[in-house]
Structure formats: C-alpha cells, structure tokens
Amino acid sequence: MTENALPSPASTAPLPSPASGSSPRRSDATRAGILAAARERFATDGYERATIRAIARDANIDPSMVMRYYGNKEGLFAAATSVDLRIPDFGPVAREDVGRVLVAHFLDIWEEADALTALLRMGMTHQAGAERMREVFAEQVLPVARAVCPDPDEAPTRAALCAAQLLGLALTRYVLRFPPSAALTREEITRWLAPTVQRYLTAERP
C-alpha cells in the first residue's frame, strides 16, 4: 500500500485485545504506549520508512504485540492518526460568536491532544500525514463553514482560510514554540484570532 492509498480510520478496525493474562487497564496502557511510539516514529520517519519493529522497540514491547493489537502497519497508522476534533454543536451558538467559540475549542484541543500535534508534525514533512490532516479538517471543520457562511459554495475556501489560522497558531505555539506565540494567554489568542476566523466564516466575500 502506498502513501496515497491509505486506509481511513473507520476502514481498519484493530484486532481484539488478547484475552489471556492482561487486564483491561493493562491492555489500555499497552495500546496507549504503542500509539504514542507510532505517532513519534511516523512523525520522524514518515509512513514508508517507519517499521513495526522500530515502533515496538520505542514502546519497549515485542513486535508481535503491535501486530496482535493492530494487525499491520496500515492498521496502526490509521489508529495513530485517527483524530476526533470533537467539534461542538454550533446550532445554539449565535452567528456572531462562531469564531470565538471555534478558536476557544481549538485551544482546548491543541493543549490536550498529543495526537493532533504529532499529526501536524507529520504533515509538515510527510505526504501521508498531510493527507490525513486534510481529511480531518475536511470531515470535521468544513461542515462548520458550510453551516454558517453566506454562500455554501464558498465553504471549502472559507474552511481552508480558517485552517490556515488555526494550524498556523498550532505550528508556532505548540510545535516550533516561538516565544511570543507561546507566551500569549488563551484570552489574548482568542481576542486576536477570533475576529479573523469570524470574518472568514461569516463576512461577505471581499
């Protein structure tokens, strides 16, 4: 399987957990360790160069355990890059507050989701990660733009502009850690960024 023909997270279900000799808590810890190692390895080496053996070594487990939980590298990649942005229901949100709510939500996501940060790092240098990031934003952010923008036909462009702001912030604050960006408080970021995101989503086309 090539980088351009990757399985979606829903299409590759992990294999059942080993039943004997492992409690649910231990199984969860093992899976978490595998996924953390996989994200780091995929971000560093890319999809093609990363190996099950190297990921297992990083996770301090036998390679057979990785195969037992995830079946193969394709299944492991799908699980490691499956990101739920947990986009809130914007139905009850006043139209003029959409930008503020979206920026605040993404700050929550970036500050707690190592998976999303790893995917961003991967997407900067490897095609597989870039493709997955595009899928995540197309599936989960595009519907927001489509619901609130003046012309639904412009939703992809508006969602892409929002992504530029949100991903740019994440890159400078959480990956590259530019001191001025990292020093901003959440309230300051929201005040700076929310009006721009709001304009991208709801303003008339310039």
Side-chain angles (χ1 to χ4, degrees):
M1 178 172 288
T2 66
E3 289 185 348
N4 293 321
L6 295 170
S8 66
S11 66
T12 308
L15 298 182
S17 303
S20 60
S22 64
S23 66
R25 181 175 298 177
R26 181 176 179 182
S27 174
D28 289 346
T30 300
R31 287 178 181 275
I34 293 171
L35 291 179
R39 289 172 188 132
E40 185 63 31
R41 182 60 60 177
F42 284 131
T44 301
D45 293 348
Y47 177 79
E48 293 295 344
R49 292 178 56 199
T51 65
I52 292 291
R53 187 176 298 277
I55 291 167
R57 183 175 62 249
D58 294 343
N60 295 315
I61 62 171
D62 189 90
S64 65
M65 290 297 293
V66 180
M67 304 296 285
R68 194 170 184 180
Y69 281 113
Y70 296 103
N72 50 36
K73 187 168 79 168
E74 290 87 349
L76 177 58
F77 182 84
T81 59
S82 178
V83 176
D84 182 4
L85 298 179
R86 304 195 304 277
I87 299 296
D89 178 12
F90 279 88
V93 178
R95 193 167 183 268
E96 62 271 19
D97 289 335
V98 170
R100 178 185 58 78
V101 172
L102 191 62
V103 170
H105 177 72
F106 266 89
L107 285 171
D108 289 339
I109 291 293
W110 288 117
E111 291 181 2
E112 69 181 39
D114 292 340
L116 191 56
T117 303
L119 184 56
L120 177 59
R121 291 174 53 219
M122 197 188 314
M124 292 170 58
T125 53
H126 301 292
Q127 178 60 29
E131 181 178 335
R132 182 68 81 222
M133 184 64 87
R134 287 193 294 269
E135 291 173 356
V136 168
F137 271 72
E139 293 169 0
Q140 302 182 49
V141 177
L142 179 56
V144 177
R146 186 172 287 121
V148 302
C149 72
D151 183 351
D153 289 340
E154 296 177 351
T157 298
R158 292 171 180 267
L161 290 169
C162 289
Q165 295 293 319
L166 297 169
L167 292 176
L169 169 67
L171 179 63
T172 57
R173 183 175 174 87
Y174 302 112
V175 178
L176 301 178
R177 299 185 184 279
F178 286 2
S181 181
L184 289 169
T185 66
R186 289 173 55 98
E187 292 74 18
E188 288 172 328
I189 291 172
T190 302
R191 287 197 297 269
W192 278 105
L193 208 59
T196 300
V197 172
Q198 181 74 35
R199 179 168 60 86
Y200 286 155
L201 288 173
T202 62
E204 294 297 327
R205 184 184 182 91

